Amino acid sequence: MNRLPFSRGAAALALVGSVLLAACSSTPMQEAPVSNGSATPAAGSPGSTPQSAVAPVQSRAAAQVPVGPLDAAKVVYFDYDSATIRPEFRSVIDAHARHLAAHRDSKLTIAGHTDERGGREYNLALGQQRAEAVRRAMELLGVGAAQVETVSFGEEKPVEAAHAESAWSRNRRAELSYR
């Protein structure tokens, strides 16, 4: 006999949730008149203005700090077989470091990537070295160590799948993403 992969409590919770969803109506409900002692027209009567008892919900993302400097790129590219940050990407790192220093509750993930050349283990290590190089540069600019996390994908997530230098150069990168 096959057993379900969840407990009776989970099944009961799912049942209650489906009952609540089924009880929801797609037709608008009339608001009940609110009596506060003043002579206000009842809801739905001529001259009344509809009022909602529910305040608008602000999304969590809108209430948080910005997700990085809007005008800065979020990718740092590297030369073949290198984890050295090229001079033209110092401004990208500087912009993100300034943002993180100003918004101490912001968190950043730096994902290191490589092209397809080299073994799997070598590429994972090189991707990690690239991510760590960007992290160290940001820490030197005042970013807190707890704000930055690094990860390596090696050759596993290429931007371009072609087998040519034009694709390989786009795959040798560190991507910055806010969480």
Side-chain angles (χ1 to χ4, degrees):
M1 177 176 185
N2 290 338
R3 296 188 58 105
L4 294 174
F6 52 88
S7 66
R8 288 184 187 192
L13 185 60
L15 178 63
V16 168
S18 63
V19 167
L20 288 174
L21 286 174
C24 291
S25 173
S26 62
T27 58
M29 296 178 57
Q30 280 191 338
E31 294 179 9
V34 178
S35 174
N36 60 1
S38 65
T40 305
S45 67
S48 69
T49 50
Q51 296 178 356
S52 174
V54 179
V57 177
Q58 185 178 17
S59 74
R60 184 172 181 237
Q64 293 179 341
V65 297
V67 291
L70 299 177
D71 59 342
K74 293 189 178 186
V75 179
V76 175
Y77 293 99
F78 293 86
D79 291 328
Y80 174 72
D81 198 28
S82 174
T84 303
I85 297 169
R86 297 183 350 206
E88 64 263 31
F89 294 104
R90 290 283 175 188
S91 63
V92 171
I93 293 170
D94 185 53
H96 288 280
R98 279 193 318 262
H99 175 80
L100 288 166
H103 300 94
R104 292 291 181 185
D105 50 345
S106 282
K107 305 253 187 240
L108 178 73
T109 299
I110 304 170
H113 299 268
T114 65
D115 60 34
E116 65 187 19
R117 299 172 291 180
R120 184 178 186 277
E121 292 81 15
Y122 177 81
N123 284 338
L124 282 171
L126 181 57
Q128 188 66 34
Q129 291 170 4
R130 289 173 175 168
E132 290 292 328
V134 174
R135 180 193 57 79
R136 280 190 306 275
M138 287 187 173
E139 285 180 358
L140 289 173
L141 294 169
V143 174
Q147 288 180 273
V148 180
E149 177 181 294
T150 60
V151 65
S152 175
F153 290 105
E155 63 189 81
E156 300 300 319
K157 294 187 175 190
V159 173
E160 288 191 34
H163 307 289
E165 181 57 36
S166 61
W168 295 331
S169 65
R170 288 183 32 98
N171 291 332
R172 298 188 301 257
R173 68 197 189 281
E175 292 182 343
L176 290 67
S177 61
Y178 288 83
R179 46 186 165 91

